Amino acid sequence: MGTDVLVSKQISCAKGVPQVYCPEDTGGTEGVHGTDLENPEDIRPRNEPDFHSLEDSGQLMASYEGKARGYQVPPFGWRICLAHEFAEKRKPFQANNISLSNLVKHLGMGLRYLKWWYRKTQVEKKKPFIDMFNFVPLRQIYGCPLGGIGGGTITRGWRGQFCRWQLNPGMYQHQTVIADQFTVCLRRDGRTVYQQVLSMERPSVLRSWNWGLCGYFAFYHALYPRAWTVYQLPGQNVTLTCRQIAPILPHDYQDSSLPVGVFVWDVENEGDEALEVSIMFSMRNGLGGVDDAPGGLWNEPFCLEQDGETVQGLLLHHPTFPNPYTMAVAARLKENTTVTHITAFDPDSTGQQVWQDLLQDGQLDSPAGQSTPSQKGAGVAGAVCISGKLPPRGQCCLEFSLAWDMPKIMFGAKGQVHYRRYTRFFGRDGDAAPALSHYALCRYASWEDKISAWQSPVLDDRSLPAWYKSALFNELYFMADGGTVWLEVPEDSIPKELRGSMHQLQPILQHYGRFGYLEGQEYRMYNTYDVHFYASFALIMLWPKLELSLQYDMALATLREDLTRRRYLMSGVIAPVKRRNVIPHDIGDPDDEPWLRVNAYLIHDTADWKDLNLKFVLQVYRDYYLTGDQSFLKDMWPVCLTVMESEMKFDKDHDGLIENGGYADQTYDGWVTTGPSAYCGGLWLAAVAVMVQMATLCGTQDIQEKFSSILSRGQEAYERLLWNGRYYNYDSSTQPQSRSVMSDQCAGQWFLRACGLGEGNTEVFPTAHVVRALQTIFELNVQAFAGGAMGAVNGMQPHGVPDRSSVQSDEVWVGVVYGLAATMIQEGLTREGFRTAEGCYRTVWERLGLAFQTPEAYCQQRVFRSLAYMRPLSIWAMQLALQQQQHKKASAPVARQGTGLSTEPKHGPKEAMSNLSPE
């Protein structure tokens, strides 16, 4: 067979010149703002919010020179030209970013951390739960992750690279594997006329391959859990659209757990000649690092025919201790398509044999039998190819899947074996990769139908801004890519003594499994509870049974203790790891043995934190309200009583209001709080209020009267000590920062309104005060900060200067901002809420290039902190607020005014919230 391709010819690519190649790491524009696509025509009435972008949209696509729009690419999402370069390159927050005054305050902590870090890394040979010396470097490359919830994830970057891996539970490897690529081959009249790796890379290996795709004629579009990459092939009259699908399906507790991803290639022949097209999917066995070094890796072809559908591909066996796995690269065999493979090639060679094999006839040789196990230090890769024919002006569809089967796992301590959730449906033997591949390729169309049914009500809502539609769904990446695990729970691991008092404990854990996600990819602690308080809205709205499972786990941990003594880094005090009857900070470190050993966090002794117990009580009632699960409420009620009793000791003057302890004793763990405070005091009053509701529901009148009395006294103290006429003071200390405007001061009210409380007869905070405080926050923390374009700064002094009294008060916390925006929407400040949240989205996704790695925090200039963080999932609280607002308008209730809390609980959560998300 002949060829018209000169594989060694390197053609330059400049903007405006449609060639095949472009220089390594080139950019097409210095603009960094905006990607909104086709804002829908504004049909809102004049009295409705009019959402405009903060600035001109579309700059992430400014480099795009192509005409193609792709095959069925949706109008909403995050879209970027592959040639785009982000002008702003920030750095992780480090010690040299701390002011001298704050450095002096934390000197002791720094020295203690250094000593602990050395022992952890050099003596124990373990990874610190927070590594302040080895931050994940900035890489502005990430896209939608592959994989469902809890089975591991593989992130494919927006330029097509496979670049972030979480196969071992909770442990990340940030590296691009060069051999993992898609390659296209086009043939006309029996001759290969075009062959190109669909990558802009120019690596030092596989040099016989045609690299350096011209990024000016391709773009990426993400709307998680799907993504589209559109390639207009220069001079070929061919457009490729690669659609990537992960099984993230709300209210689904089976397919959502599967470790698979699907790639659907829609090929459009826009020319007048018939065309043969081949797509080759190559994949290295392993990542090429230390896990591969011992050797023994091997590949083999497979073919699975079932229910009239045939899937062919390669199995890549990676039998490395302690978590062996098999990867499957597979293709669906259909009429008029051919599937071929190459079992093994050297990914560190020139790759000439593979390239020439494909070039010769658009197919691979398909040798039979398994490959020889790799030698020590050597790598092995394989490839699968689908070929199809297109008539002039025709279209065809080629389907691949990627699956990985790691059924049993061990965490870092290597003490216990755990089985992943998906093994309930595909077995525990480690031979499920072919079946997973077959299932994914046969079911992905129904997944997409479910995804569309879930997302369409939001996407079709013309009153919502385009950026919000992108943010709402794309921030959900963390649900799967938060180091997430979803495990089976053995019956003998559930304490028998608690099964009688918690009737749903065993059924929930055994039927729905155990769920854990990290505080952040750099802050390696599972189910960090003070942060989950914000992120939990996504879980309760989309996978409510997993939220209930997490709550049962938290209740179990609360009733346990670990009296092992250790030194806490901030204070230097030696105290137990975990005291009984207080909520733990986290459920453990994946590099240790989570659930067995909790509280990996050792910066503070969180037994004396003021927010954790309150956040449990608030979430329990919120979860009951949104699910209507009375059995859950009755199971949690004794635990709520217990933790509130533990919390009582913080009300030292018995005025009904707790006091902070003069250190950073809450989620803002670098921001000192003294005496009654807006944040913890507000959470306390909200928790007391829901205790009144729960006491009534549980028929305990004496307890209801007790908490009603506390609430009445606490409300008076809170208003008297903290309200200044414009907002609630940060705290009651004599320090200048006590009058700072805290963006998160209304967190208690936020949760009350999410629970259907906080107004009328259930009012806790005077509505006029709440609205005035939110207006002040918008005026100072939002509009007076960075020109109103970066969200809300945590702390702002009354005269409009950011509070720099701590290392956290002058940061913007993205998840806090989304929660603040939800609060604004709840209180009728919808326009202000959207403007506030928009600043964060534009900053993170469009200006800083931090897509699919939204950080915990960023400052006005230079730095960010803690990439890929849990808290921004709180954007789902905005969606809850909007849906509650819509329900309220539809039902048009007559609000009753009052200042006392009603002793009649709010009923009917299921009826009120039935439109939250489709079952």
Side-chain angles (χ1 to χ4, degrees), residues 112-351:
R112 283 185 288 271
Y113 177 85
L114 180 60
K115 182 179 178 180
W116 172 84
W117 181 90
Y118 181 84
R119 184 176 70 249
K120 193 76 172 176
T121 59
Q122 305 304 311
V123 178
E124 299 176 19
K125 304 299 181 183
K126 304 286 282 185
K127 294 183 177 180
F129 73 98
I130 298 177
D131 194 336
M132 297 184 183
F133 297 110
N134 296 290
F135 295 99
V136 174
L138 174 66
R139 299 176 77 199
Q140 298 163 316
I141 63 173
Y142 297 115
C144 284
L146 295 156
I149 296 172
T153 46
I154 300 170
T155 296
R156 187 166 180 250
W158 51 268
R159 283 180 172 160
Q161 61 274 66
F162 290 80
C163 52
R164 184 171 66 194
W165 307 76
Q166 189 252 143
L167 299 179
N168 287 313
M171 309 301 289
Y172 276 85
Q173 293 171 283
H174 298 82
Q175 61 188 88
T176 297
V177 181
I178 289 298
D180 298 354
Q181 300 291 345
F182 287 102
T183 298
V184 61
C185 173
L186 302 181
R187 294 172 58 79
R188 294 187 177 95
D189 298 324
R191 303 175 70 85
T192 298
V193 297
Y194 182 90
Q195 189 161 300
Q196 173 71 50
V197 184
L198 297 172
S199 168
M200 295 172 64
E201 301 276 356
R202 290 185 179 279
S204 59
V205 296
L206 302 176
R207 295 182 66 91
S208 292
W209 296 17
N210 265 355
W211 297 91
L213 175 79
C214 184
Y216 294 109
F217 292 85
F219 69 86
Y220 178 84
H221 182 95
L223 188 65
Y224 186 75
R226 295 189 289 176
W228 294 255
T229 311
V230 177
Y231 305 88
Q232 181 179 324
L233 303 184
Q236 301 301 318
N237 289 322
V238 171
T239 298
L240 307 176
T241 303
C242 176
R243 186 167 81 257
Q244 173 184 314
I245 306 137
I248 301 298
L249 310 168
H251 303 283
D252 177 291
Y253 299 90
Q254 176 174 324
D255 288 7
S256 290
S257 71
L258 302 183
V260 297
V262 174
F263 298 96
V264 180
W265 288 83
D266 288 293
V267 185
E268 298 172 274
N269 180 11
E270 293 147 2
D272 296 322
E273 300 178 73
L275 176 72
E276 296 176 54
V277 61
S278 299
I279 303 286
M280 180 178 75
F281 186 6
S282 55
M283 177 70 64
R284 183 176 189 132
N285 190 334
L287 276 64
V290 294
D291 290 342
D292 303 355
L297 314 181
W298 55 284
N299 304 342
E300 64 173 331
F302 79 92
C303 177
L304 179 59
E305 184 175 350
Q306 189 174 309
D307 300 327
E309 295 283 354
T310 301
V311 169
Q312 294 177 224
L314 282 181
L315 300 177
L316 283 57
H317 299 287
H318 197 281
T320 305
F321 180 82
N323 297 321
Y325 66 93
T326 295
M327 190 85 71
V329 179
R332 190 180 190 178
L333 183 62
K334 300 190 298 186
E335 189 177 358
N336 299 322
T337 64
T338 304
V339 177
T340 56
H341 69 270
I342 183 165
T343 308
F345 68 90
D346 183 354
D348 301 313
S349 68
T350 65

Side-chain angles (χ1 to χ4, degrees), residues 616-884:
F616 178 77
V617 172
L618 288 167
Q619 286 184 80
V620 163
Y621 188 78
R622 191 262 335 257
D623 295 346
Y624 157 72
Y625 178 73
L626 295 183
T627 63
D629 192 331
Q630 295 186 3
S631 296
F632 166 75
L633 181 68
K634 290 177 180 178
D635 282 352
M636 294 295 112
W637 174 238
V639 186
C640 290
L641 283 171
T642 297
V643 299
M644 287 299 282
E645 192 62 36
S646 297
E647 193 80 7
M648 295 284 189
K649 66 178 179 288
F650 302 129
D651 180 9
K652 298 184 184 303
D653 56 4
H654 306 293
D655 65 350
L657 189 63
I658 62 169
E659 292 90 41
N660 287 88
Y663 70 103
D665 53 357
Q666 26 70 38
T667 194
Y668 297 88
D669 58 351
W671 196 356
V672 171
T673 316
T674 303
S677 67
Y679 183 70
C680 290
L683 292 174
W684 162 257
L685 291 180
V688 172
V690 302
M691 287 297 287
V692 173
Q693 298 290 318
M694 288 192 284
T696 304
L697 286 163
C698 295
T700 51
Q701 185 175 353
D702 55 334
I703 296 174
Q704 182 265 321
E705 291 172 353
K706 171 186 174 181
F707 280 102
S708 292
S709 174
I710 293 171
L711 181 64
S712 179
R713 290 182 285 119
Q715 285 175 292
E716 188 278 328
Y718 189 79
E719 296 297 322
R720 172 171 47 84
L721 295 171
L722 296 167
W723 179 250
N724 63 25
R726 294 177 62 207
Y727 59 92
Y728 292 99
N729 288 337
Y730 175 71
D731 67 12
S732 304
S733 71
T734 58
Q735 300 299 316
Q737 64 267 22
S738 70
R739 286 186 61 83
S740 285
V741 185
M742 187 190 198
S743 65
D744 210 5
Q745 63 185 270
C746 296
Q749 174 71 1
W750 169 39
F751 250 74
L752 286 176
R753 291 297 290 265
C755 297
L757 305 172
E759 61 179 339
N761 282 351
T762 60
E763 183 181 271
V764 174
F765 309 93
T767 299
H769 290 186
V770 171
V771 172
R772 185 69 186 98
L774 291 172
Q775 290 171 334
T776 301
I777 293 166
F778 185 70
E779 292 163 10
L780 292 176
N781 301 58
V782 179
Q783 290 187 307
F785 175 74
M790 293 182 73
V793 67
N794 281 343
M796 180 68 85
Q797 297 181 56
H799 55 281
V801 175
D803 178 350
R804 295 190 172 88
S805 63
S806 79
V807 294
Q808 293 174 337
S809 51
D810 66 343
E811 291 182 322
V812 175
W813 288 12
V814 180
V816 167
V817 173
Y818 288 151
L820 168 63
T823 314
M824 291 175 170
I825 293 168
Q826 290 168 342
E827 302 300 332
L829 302 174
T830 303
R831 179 184 176 85
E832 290 85 346
F834 275 104
R835 293 281 294 185
T836 298
E838 182 179 5
C840 281
Y841 175 80
R842 301 273 183 204
T843 299
V844 170
W845 289 77
E846 299 177 354
R847 175 178 157 195
L848 302 186
L850 300 180
F852 298 100
Q853 53 180 331
T854 303
E856 158 75 316
Y858 54 81
C859 291
Q860 185 171 351
Q861 296 176 326
R862 297 190 300 278
V863 298
F864 58 82
R865 182 169 60 79
S866 187
L867 289 174
Y869 198 77
M870 177 199 291
R871 205 182 318 249
L873 285 169
S874 62
I875 193 170
W876 279 84
M878 292 179 66
Q879 185 62 19
L880 177 63
L882 288 166
Q883 291 173 182
Q884 288 177 322

Side-chain angles (χ1 to χ4, degrees), residues 441-707:
L441 285 167
C442 293
R443 294 295 182 95
Y444 80 83
S446 68
W447 294 345
E448 290 196 279
D449 289 342
K450 293 176 182 178
I451 291 167
S452 294
W454 160 45
Q455 295 183 338
S456 290
V458 173
L459 301 179
D460 295 342
D461 187 340
R462 297 166 71 90
S463 71
L464 298 175
W467 70 262
Y468 172 75
K469 297 173 183 180
S470 171
L472 183 69
F473 295 113
N474 284 326
E475 290 289 11
L476 267 180
Y477 83 95
F478 195 84
M479 193 60 69
D481 206 13
T484 312
V485 289
W486 189 356
L487 306 174
E488 293 288 88
V489 179
E491 184 176 355
D492 58 9
S493 70
I494 301 173
K496 291 182 180 179
E497 65 274 15
L498 292 176
R499 295 179 193 177
S501 58
M502 294 187 189
H503 299 287
Q504 292 298 310
L505 171 66
Q506 185 173 349
I508 287 286
L509 287 177
Q510 287 207 272
H511 190 70
Y512 294 103
R514 173 164 279 157
F515 174 83
Y517 62 159
L518 299 177
E519 179 177 335
Q521 291 180 10
E522 294 190 88
Y523 286 15
R524 215 181 52 246
M525 296 159 280
Y526 276 127
N527 296 349
T528 300
Y529 202 70
D530 57 299
V531 182
H532 175 71
F533 175 74
Y534 297 81
S536 61
F537 283 88
L539 205 56
I540 190 60
M541 292 174 70
L542 302 175
W543 293 274
K545 299 298 185 183
L546 292 185
E547 167 67 8
L548 299 189
S549 171
L550 186 153
Q551 293 283 62
Y552 275 104
D553 266 335
M554 201 57 61
L556 289 177
T558 298
L559 301 176
R560 293 170 176 160
E561 63 181 0
D562 180 352
L563 298 180
T564 306
R565 298 178 69 78
R566 63 181 179 182
R567 187 179 302 278
Y568 287 92
L569 301 179
M570 187 66 78
S571 65
V573 168
I574 296 175
V577 171
K578 167 68 173 65
R579 292 183 228 169
R580 196 185 304 277
N581 297 338
V582 293
I583 299 294
H585 173 274
D586 59 84
I587 220 73
D589 179 354
D591 203 30
D592 184 29
E593 194 62 66
W595 284 280
L596 179 64
R597 285 186 287 276
V598 303
N599 279 350
Y601 179 85
L602 47 68
I603 294 175
H604 294 282
D605 178 7
T606 59
D608 287 328
W609 271 20
K610 308 306 181 289
D611 61 340
L612 288 169
N613 297 326
L614 309 175
K615 287 174 174 177
F616 178 77
V617 172
L618 288 167
Q619 286 184 80
V620 163
Y621 188 78
R622 191 262 335 257
D623 295 346
Y624 157 72
Y625 178 73
L626 295 183
T627 63
D629 192 331
Q630 295 186 3
S631 296
F632 166 75
L633 181 68
K634 290 177 180 178
D635 282 352
M636 294 295 112
W637 174 238
V639 186
C640 290
L641 283 171
T642 297
V643 299
M644 287 299 282
E645 192 62 36
S646 297
E647 193 80 7
M648 295 284 189
K649 66 178 179 288
F650 302 129
D651 180 9
K652 298 184 184 303
D653 56 4
H654 306 293
D655 65 350
L657 189 63
I658 62 169
E659 292 90 41
N660 287 88
Y663 70 103
D665 53 357
Q666 26 70 38
T667 194
Y668 297 88
D669 58 351
W671 196 356
V672 171
T673 316
T674 303
S677 67
Y679 183 70
C680 290
L683 292 174
W684 162 257
L685 291 180
V688 172
V690 302
M691 287 297 287
V692 173
Q693 298 290 318
M694 288 192 284
T696 304
L697 286 163
C698 295
T700 51
Q701 185 175 353
D702 55 334
I703 296 174
Q704 182 265 321
E705 291 172 353
K706 171 186 174 181
F707 280 102

